[in-house]
Amino acid sequence: MTLLGFRLENELKDELESNFENELRFAENISSFMELLKERKYEAVVIDETNLQQDALVNLVKKITETHKRSVIIIMGETSNLKLVAGVIKAGAYDYILKPISPKDVNKILEKAVKDHKLLAERVDKNKNTGDKLIGQTKEIVEVYKMIGRVSNSRIPVLVVGEKGTGKSSVAKAIHQFSDWSSKPFLSVNCTSFQNNLLERKLFGYEKGAFEGAAFLQIGDLEKANGGTLHLGNVESLSLDMQSKILYLLQEGEFFRMGGSEPIEMDIRIVATTSENLEELINKKMFIDELYNKLKILEINIPPLRERKDDIPFIIDNYLTSCNEELHKAIKGVSKPAMKKIMRYDWPGNVNELKNAVKSAVALCRGSSILVEELPGNVTGNKISKRKGDNQSWVLTDWIEGELLGLKNNKQNNYYGIIISKVEKELIRQVLEITSGKKVETAELLGITRNTLRTKMNNYGLE
């Protein structure tokens, strides 16, 4: 094997030299590394990312793939995030390996990589904004990062599977943001938020006279997002009729407006997300088998938080910053006893529940560190018997509890008005986002009049 190593540790160098008889070269600085790259073609290139800037590493991988298209590139590192891992994979790296790892295991990975001779030669935009739930350094979440990098530039549909609160929407957004058509629209639709006739109107649009009240031609969101990405959240909630229309779109690359007779050609990438077992729904005749097979050609499974608990401190550190800004606090961290409680809890609501617990604790915290008594009761084990219902109900319960305690500590009255106004403002904001700001459609979904909506938007500063 011909191999070039950059900034490798001595133990790994010794292992490589003792196992490979062919030419091995090592470099300790960029200039000598680039000179060695010019001398010949290498079957494998191994880079230790230590002390390399994130963007510099991605650019280095891109430069290698430009001149060594058939080289297998392996990156080794200790600190990881979505932008880094997905970036180097998309730029052309074969794998990203988390340290510590034994030199023998590196050998095995190299042998397999060169034997398989798999390469990805894709470009990366180094300025991507990524989902806030995709935080961590464990091997489980790193595998998700790598999958995002591998699938981002394909137009093949992707199915993202994971429990509620794991960050499925963030994965869908990241796939689009890392693609070469990231400048095109990203359309995200929560399939549970619409009655099916409203969803069909929103996506496909309609011709004049398509139904009672259709007084003019309405272009659907699909046409507006042509060339981009369509994210179908909670895809299991689609009716069978809507499923068949999405299947037709995938098969034929075209669709019909409601009341229309002329097909409209589309070039759009579909990313579907679900927390349900679609195979069980197929057995119950609630999901179309053929649509499932189309969607799961590329599948990403997001691990629940209980399977990557070592990521919890990183998530908390990241979220504390925004909580401090929002709540005008200066919390520096979590006390050791409180962190022990946090790490022992299984987080059935996943990242959503963790973030809610952190926000509640920050609101209650009177010092510079979060204490055990400031954590929600379910985390400390003092409220197990009250945990009934689904995960979303638990998150809502904890949020309300945190708000009430915060109001009590601040000696405020009018609990009902303050909490309901927060819920109402966020509800209106999200429905406006769903309808792309269409007030008539928003009022219809909310079940209120347009005048009432206009007044509430004005009161909440949502105009």
Side-chain angles (χ1 to χ4, degrees):
M1 177 188 294
T2 54
L3 181 146
L4 174 60
F6 183 51
R7 292 183 175 173
L8 303 186
E9 296 175 355
N10 291 330
E11 187 179 358
L12 178 56
K13 289 181 184 178
D14 294 341
E15 177 70 23
L16 293 172
E17 288 175 337
S18 64
N19 279 274
F20 294 114
E21 297 179 357
N22 294 336
E23 183 177 354
L24 302 179
R25 296 289 185 90
F26 302 108
E28 299 302 322
N29 57 66
I30 287 289
S31 59
S32 60
F33 179 75
M34 299 306 295
E35 285 300 317
L36 289 171
L37 276 176
K38 293 177 184 177
E39 287 183 7
R40 60 164 304 148
K41 303 295 183 184
Y42 296 91
E43 292 176 278
V45 178
V46 183
I47 299 172
D48 191 322
E49 64 139 338
T50 305
N51 298 323
L52 276 174
Q53 292 293 322
Q54 185 167 286
D55 291 339
L57 178 61
V58 171
N59 288 329
L60 182 59
V61 173
K62 287 199 291 183
K63 287 180 181 178
I64 297 169
T65 57
E66 287 173 3
T67 56
H68 291 63
K69 295 185 183 298
R70 298 187 63 83
S71 296
V72 173
I73 304 170
I74 303 288
I75 309 297
M76 302 177 63
E78 294 175 340
T79 59
S80 60
N81 55 53
L82 170 60
K83 183 181 177 183
L84 173 64
V85 179
V88 296
I89 293 292
K90 186 170 181 284
Y94 173 73
D95 203 355
Y96 180 95
I97 303 173
L98 276 177
K99 298 195 299 183
I101 182 172
S102 72
K104 288 185 179 180
D105 287 338
V106 176
N107 250 332
K108 291 177 182 177
I109 292 171
L110 272 171
E111 288 173 352
K112 183 180 185 303
V114 173
K115 183 178 179 180
D116 293 347
H117 217 67
K118 294 178 180 177
L119 239 212
L120 294 167
E122 304 168 330
R123 302 187 307 279
V124 71
D125 182 345
K126 63 184 179 181
N127 295 314
K128 299 301 180 187
N129 179 30
T130 54
D132 64 352
K133 292 176 188 173
L134 301 177
I135 300 167
Q137 296 185 323
T138 57
K139 63 180 181 181
E140 290 84 4
I141 199 67
V142 168
E143 286 302 315
V144 175
Y145 297 164
K146 288 194 273 189
M147 281 297 296
I148 290 169
R150 286 170 182 151
V151 308
S152 58
N153 269 356
S154 166
R155 298 297 275 179
I156 298 172
V158 180
L159 179 63
V160 183
V161 180
E163 295 178 4
K164 291 179 180 178
T166 49
K168 298 182 293 296
S169 295
S170 293
V171 170
K173 188 179 294 183
I175 289 170
H176 176 75
Q177 291 171 332
F178 275 89
S179 71
D180 280 346
W181 53 90
S182 59
S183 60
K184 298 290 185 178
F186 174 78
L187 174 62
S188 184
V189 176
N190 184 346
C191 299
T192 62
S193 299
F194 295 89
Q195 297 174 356
N196 286 299
N197 61 333
L198 290 176
L199 181 58
E200 185 174 359
R201 289 186 214 173
K202 176 178 175 60
L203 286 180
F204 300 123
Y206 50 84
E207 301 281 348
K208 181 179 179 181
F211 52 86
E212 186 178 353
F216 50 83
L217 169 69
Q218 177 66 54
I219 301 298
D221 284 351
L222 273 177
E223 286 182 73
K224 297 174 185 176
N226 198 8
T229 303
L230 168 64
H231 166 224
L232 294 173
N234 299 307
V235 69
E236 74 282 352
S237 299
L238 289 174
S239 68
L240 291 175
D241 181 57
M242 279 298 295
Q243 289 178 37
S244 67
K245 288 179 168 63
I246 296 296
L247 177 59
Y248 181 83
L249 173 64
L250 287 172
Q251 290 175 327
E252 305 299 331
E254 63 183 31
F255 70 94
F256 293 86
R257 295 193 195 108
M258 293 178 68
S261 57
E262 293 296 323
I264 299 169
E265 293 186 0
M266 286 295 299
D267 175 25
I268 195 164
R269 208 278 182 73
I270 292 183
V271 180
T273 59
T274 183
S275 57
E276 300 293 329
N277 187 325
L278 296 184
E279 291 181 348
E280 288 184 2
L281 295 182
I282 290 169
N283 292 333
K284 295 176 181 177
K285 310 298 183 184
M286 296 171 66
F287 204 86
I288 298 174
D289 189 14
E290 197 172 355
L291 176 58
Y292 173 61
N293 290 330
K294 279 280 186 183
L295 292 174
K296 78 179 187 77
I297 294 174
L298 293 175
E299 185 172 335
I300 298 178
N301 285 277
I302 309 177
L305 193 56
R306 63 182 173 275
E307 293 180 5
R308 56 179 187 105
K309 284 191 173 182
D310 287 344
D311 284 333
I312 288 176
F314 296 97
I315 297 171
I316 292 174
D317 285 346
N318 181 274
Y319 193 52
L320 271 177
T321 302
S322 60
C323 283
N324 281 331
E325 290 177 359
E326 181 180 349
L327 301 174
H328 307 291
K329 293 290 190 82
I331 311 303
K332 296 180 180 178
V334 180
S335 68
K336 288 184 179 180
M339 185 60 78
K340 285 183 179 179
K341 291 285 187 181
I342 290 171
M343 297 300 285
R344 287 173 184 166
Y345 184 59
D346 271 346
W347 299 103
N350 292 295
V351 180
N352 277 352
E353 187 183 7
L354 174 61
K355 291 177 68 176
N356 186 72
V358 171
K359 187 172 184 179
S360 172
V362 170
L364 299 176
C365 187
R366 290 170 291 181
S368 60
S369 296
I370 293 171
L371 306 178
V372 171
E373 55 265 31
E374 292 156 349
L375 295 173
N378 56 298
V379 178
T380 59
N382 296 328
K383 208 171 58 174
I384 300 293
S385 61
K386 294 174 65 176
R387 309 308 283 177
K388 296 179 181 179
D390 61 22
N391 294 343
Q392 289 181 330
S393 297
W394 301 355
V395 171
L396 179 61
T397 300
D398 290 339
W399 178 78
I400 292 176
E401 182 179 31
E403 289 292 322
L404 288 173
L405 287 171
L407 292 171
K408 182 179 179 181
N409 289 340
N410 292 327
K411 297 181 180 180
Q412 287 184 265
N413 297 320
N414 190 22
Y415 291 180
Y416 179 85
I418 293 172
I419 292 177
I420 290 299
S421 65
K422 287 186 177 182
V423 173
E424 188 174 55
K425 179 180 179 181
E426 183 61 20
L427 174 62
I428 294 172
R429 188 194 67 77
Q430 290 200 26
V431 177
L432 281 168
E433 193 172 283
I434 287 170
T435 64
S436 301
K438 297 184 180 72
K439 295 182 179 64
V440 174
E441 198 172 324
T442 299
E444 187 176 354
L445 286 173
L446 290 170
I448 60 179
T449 67
R450 277 176 282 175
N451 286 337
T452 300
L453 174 63
R454 194 177 296 111
T455 299
K456 291 182 181 295
M457 288 176 63
N458 183 57
N459 291 340
Y460 294 134
L462 294 173
E463 290 287 358

